[in-house]
Amino acid sequence: MKTDLNVVNAPQRSRLANGDSVTNFRVASTSRRFDRETQSWVDHRTLFVDVECWGELGGNVSHTVSKGDPVIVVGELYTHSWETDQGRRNRPQVRAEAVGPDLSRGVADFRRTARPATEPGQTDEPPADDDVPADPYTSRSTDYLEGEETLHQADSDVSEPVPALT
């Protein structure tokens, strides 16, 4: 089984009353299966999922991603629920931590964005559900910024293989 993810609509950026910004778009995940009779891949089922991107990620997405683009989305998948006159409604949604082009289907040119200074008290981050400590694996890194606390240049002439962890 193979699944591709494609952007269904152009990302829409909105600024909330509290000053935070969010970018929303929809993706379609179409599973494919190999048909042995025709010896080809055929589309099977499609799942549509809404994606929300907060803050700087949302700005970068709105300037980079277009309808039809193949993408990879990493984040929290959950069910968004609400009440209507017809009853309770649900839809799958992703609060994205990262969005990027699917490089198995094309190439991309990457450019770093300059970080704008935010006003005091303005975080431009998603609303916090609880006071949960920051996840060290998703926190911003300074590894690629210039300065004394950055990674050192790697030696390109190292010829000994590094043993794999077992």
Side-chain angles (χ1 to χ4, degrees), residues 87-103:
R88 187 164 197 76
R89 301 286 187 221
N90 299 295
R91 71 172 185 242
Q93 189 158 337
V94 174
R95 177 174 282 171
E97 294 174 17
V99 175
D102 183 348
L103 297 180

Side-chain angles (χ1 to χ4, degrees), residues 28-134:
S29 174
T30 303
S31 63
R32 303 183 80 203
R33 62 179 179 76
F34 190 75
D35 185 339
R36 292 178 191 224
E37 289 180 21
T38 63
Q39 291 294 299
S40 63
W41 288 94
V42 294
D43 288 348
H44 197 200
R45 297 185 184 125
T46 300
L47 171 68
F48 292 93
V49 179
D50 293 324
V51 180
E52 64 179 15
C53 305
W54 290 87
E56 188 175 345
L57 172 61
N60 291 340
V61 164
S62 68
H63 287 96
T64 305
V65 174
S66 299
K67 179 179 178 178
D69 287 351
V71 293
I72 296 172
V73 177
V74 176
E76 175 190 7
L77 177 63
Y78 65 97
T79 302
H80 177 74
S81 301
W82 69 98
E83 293 290 334
T84 68
D85 293 340
Q86 293 80 31
R88 187 164 197 76
R89 301 286 187 221
N90 299 295
R91 71 172 185 242
Q93 189 158 337
V94 174
R95 177 174 282 171
E97 294 174 17
V99 175
D102 183 348
L103 297 180
S104 70
R105 298 171 56 202
V107 297
D109 294 319
F110 181 80
R111 292 183 322 233
R112 283 198 184 278
T113 55
R115 291 186 177 216
T118 58
E119 296 178 23
Q122 183 180 6
T123 62
D124 214 24
E125 295 294 324
D129 294 332
D130 296 310
D131 290 328
V132 178

Side-chain angles (χ1 to χ4, degrees), residues 107-159:
V107 297
D109 294 319
F110 181 80
R111 292 183 322 233
R112 283 198 184 278
T113 55
R115 291 186 177 216
T118 58
E119 296 178 23
Q122 183 180 6
T123 62
D124 214 24
E125 295 294 324
D129 294 332
D130 296 310
D131 290 328
V132 178
D135 182 349
Y137 297 105
T138 59
S139 299
R140 302 231 183 240
S141 171
T142 59
D143 290 345
Y144 298 102
L145 301 177
E146 292 185 28
E148 292 181 17
E149 299 173 358
T150 61
L151 293 175
H152 298 284
Q153 272 295 358
D155 294 332
S156 60
D157 60 344
V158 175
S159 59

